[in-house]
Amino acid sequence: MPFVNIKITRDGATTEQKRQLIAGVTQLLVDVMGKNPATTTVIIDEVDTDNWGMGGESVTELRKPKS
Amino acid sequence: MPFVNIKITRDGATTEQKRQLIAGVTQLLVDVMGKNPATTTVIIDEVDTDNWGMGGESVTELRKPKS
Amino acid sequence: MPFVNIKITRDGATTEQKRQLIAGVTQLLVDVMGKNPATTTVIIDEVDTDNWGMGGESVTELRKPKS
Amino acid sequence: MPFVNIKITRDGATTEQKRQLIAGVTQLLVDVMGKNPATTTVIIDEVDTDNWGMGGESVTELRKPKS
Amino acid sequence: MPFVNIKITRDGATTEQKRQLIAGVTQLLVDVMGKNPATTTVIIDEVDTDNWGMGGESVTELRKPKS
Amino acid sequence: MPFVNIKITRDGATTEQKRQLIAGVTQLLVDVMGKNPATTTVIIDEVDTDNWGMGGESVTELRKPKS
């Protein structure tokens, strides 16, 4: 019955990578907690780099080459 | 003052259906809890089926016909 | 497969009220969207009034009698 | 280490406004709580007005001129 | 920079189990997505069974022996 | 109408600090975005250090003196 929300920056995660995240975190909950995988929900949010801040700056800014 | 977040797969929910969800859940909080509808907030997130997992598989996979 | 999160202030919601919220919002998603109730998840968060703000003030403050 | 999620309606917030929200809320957590800005994360969600309800109506409806 | 929120029912998860969830999901994001573990945040919410619904009933109800 | 969720570790934040967070983030949304403070909601979640991970370790572990 667990619910997992994974937020990552929108950077071109592939369908295959998303499948691996869903499968991997579901299995982790089985292995560590004995949870039922059938009712484990995973939602992946992909967030634009303008909308994600770290250290007071957007990720868009953080990734710009510093001169 | 309640806050409600409804997450559904992105499947073509219509504007009318979203209006009914907003009206219905707001009324439910009035009826059950006596909450003030004026300050009840509802946010609906529509999530791509590649980004929603259940039972360790994405909904995209789950919906494929099994051969 | 919908996921619903309801946030209310911690004010003594009863077990019966929570059951009605869970049943009501699950039925709403059946009625409006045709969703499968078996896989509909609802999580209720009860939030202390010191930790909930509206209009720039905590709910604790808002509820104090104004002299 | 704080995590902040800001949800606003999708109304044309500019990149500059988002930068100011990220910088401002990060600084607020430094000033009020003494938190380390380097590990403060901020995520801004922009929500379509059809998907945001207040008072039982969508924001799309609320903004329509009343005749 | 990923952010992960894991919601489980409050059932006596041990400190060791929580450590394994945190370590495991952080490593998964390294393995699948190449994310930097240093800035990966994981938050575990433990939710009372009265406050978690599935199939229109609370988990408290679902776990009662059916006569 | 904005909605803000601030997650911090449970470390003894005072009622006064929470009031300052609520007032400050509400004012920030007025100043930067021109939002209506009356309908701005802020929810603060305080999370146990066992339940918050960073860099693959719980904050409880991270704060232990290293020998």
Side-chain angles (χ1 to χ4, degrees):
Chain A
M1 219 165 323
F3 174 81
V4 182
N5 178 226
I6 299 174
K7 294 182 192 293
I8 54 177
T9 46
R10 192 186 304 279
D11 283 322
T14 65
T15 302
E16 178 56 27
Q17 286 176 314
K18 293 177 196 175
R19 290 175 59 182
Q20 291 180 24
L21 287 181
I22 290 168
V25 74
T26 302
Q27 189 59 43
L28 180 70
L29 283 152
V30 173
D31 293 345
V32 174
M33 301 293 301
K35 294 292 181 183
N36 178 2
T39 56
T40 296
T41 300
V42 182
I43 290 180
I44 301 169
D45 292 324
E46 296 174 273
V47 178
D48 290 344
T49 56
D50 278 356
N51 290 22
W52 191 305
M54 171 68 75
E57 289 190 283
S58 75
V59 174
T60 306
E61 285 301 301
L62 289 171
R63 288 183 177 170
K64 282 186 180 163
K66 306 297 183 189
S67 60
Chain B
M1 217 166 325
F3 173 82
V4 182
N5 178 225
I6 299 174
K7 294 182 192 292
I8 54 177
T9 46
R10 193 186 304 278
D11 283 321
T14 66
T15 302
E16 179 56 27
Q17 286 175 314
K18 293 177 195 175
R19 289 175 60 182
Q20 290 180 24
L21 287 182
I22 290 168
V25 75
T26 302
Q27 189 59 44
L28 180 70
L29 282 152
V30 173
D31 293 345
V32 174
M33 302 291 303
K35 294 290 181 184
N36 179 1
T39 55
T40 296
T41 300
V42 182
I43 290 180
I44 300 168
D45 292 324
E46 296 174 272
V47 177
D48 289 345
T49 56
D50 278 356
N51 290 20
W52 191 306
M54 172 69 74
E57 289 191 284
S58 75
V59 174
T60 306
E61 286 301 302
L62 290 170
R63 289 183 178 169
K64 282 187 181 163
K66 306 297 182 189
S67 60
Chain C
M1 219 165 322
F3 173 83
V4 182
N5 178 225
I6 299 175
K7 293 181 193 292
I8 54 177
T9 46
R10 191 187 304 281
D11 282 322
T14 66
T15 302
E16 179 55 27
Q17 286 175 314
K18 293 178 196 175
R19 289 175 60 181
Q20 291 179 25
L21 287 182
I22 290 168
V25 75
T26 302
Q27 189 59 44
L28 181 70
L29 283 152
V30 173
D31 293 345
V32 175
M33 302 293 302
K35 294 292 182 183
N36 178 3
T39 55
T40 296
T41 300
V42 182
I43 289 180
I44 301 168
D45 292 324
E46 297 174 272
V47 178
D48 290 343
T49 57
D50 278 356
N51 290 21
W52 191 306
M54 172 67 76
E57 289 191 283
S58 75
V59 174
T60 306
E61 286 301 301
L62 290 170
R63 290 183 177 168
K64 282 185 181 164
K66 307 296 183 187
S67 59
Chain D
M1 218 166 324
F3 174 82
V4 181
N5 179 225
I6 299 174
K7 294 182 192 292
I8 54 178
T9 46
R10 192 186 305 280
D11 283 321
T14 65
T15 302
E16 178 56 27
Q17 286 175 315
K18 294 177 195 174
R19 288 175 59 182
Q20 290 179 25
L21 287 181
I22 289 168
V25 75
T26 303
Q27 189 59 43
L28 180 70
L29 283 153
V30 172
D31 293 346
V32 174
M33 302 293 303
K35 293 291 181 184
N36 178 3
T39 55
T40 296
T41 299
V42 183
I43 290 180
I44 301 168
D45 292 325
E46 297 174 272
V47 178
D48 290 344
T49 57
D50 278 357
N51 289 21
W52 192 305
M54 171 68 75
E57 288 190 284
S58 75
V59 175
T60 305
E61 285 301 301
L62 289 171
R63 289 184 177 168
K64 282 187 180 162
K66 306 296 184 190
S67 59
Chain E
M1 218 166 323
F3 173 81
V4 181
N5 179 223
I6 299 174
K7 294 183 192 293
I8 54 177
T9 45
R10 191 186 305 280
D11 282 321
T14 65
T15 302
E16 178 56 26
Q17 286 175 315
K18 294 177 195 174
R19 289 175 60 182
Q20 290 179 24
L21 287 181
I22 290 168
V25 75
T26 302
Q27 189 59 43
L28 181 71
L29 282 152
V30 173
D31 293 346
V32 174
M33 302 292 303
K35 293 292 182 184
N36 179 2
T39 56
T40 296
T41 299
V42 183
I43 290 180
I44 300 168
D45 292 324
E46 296 174 272
V47 178
D48 290 344
T49 56
D50 278 356
N51 289 21
W52 192 304
M54 171 68 75
E57 290 190 282
S58 75
V59 174
T60 306
E61 286 302 301
L62 290 170
R63 289 184 177 168
K64 282 187 180 162
K66 306 296 183 189
S67 59
Chain F
M1 216 164 325
F3 173 81
V4 181
N5 178 225
I6 299 175
K7 294 181 191 294
I8 54 178
T9 45
R10 192 186 305 279
D11 282 321
T14 65
T15 302
E16 179 56 27
Q17 286 175 314
K18 294 178 195 174
R19 290 176 59 182
Q20 290 180 25
L21 287 181
I22 290 168
V25 75
T26 302
Q27 190 59 44
L28 181 70
L29 282 152
V30 173
D31 293 345
V32 174
M33 302 293 302
K35 294 291 182 185
N36 179 3
T39 55
T40 296
T41 300
V42 182
I43 290 180
I44 301 169
D45 292 325
E46 297 174 272
V47 178
D48 290 344
T49 56
D50 278 356
N51 289 22
W52 191 306
M54 172 67 76
E57 289 190 283
S58 75
V59 174
T60 306
E61 286 301 301
L62 290 170
R63 290 184 176 167
K64 282 187 181 163
K66 306 297 181 185
S67 58

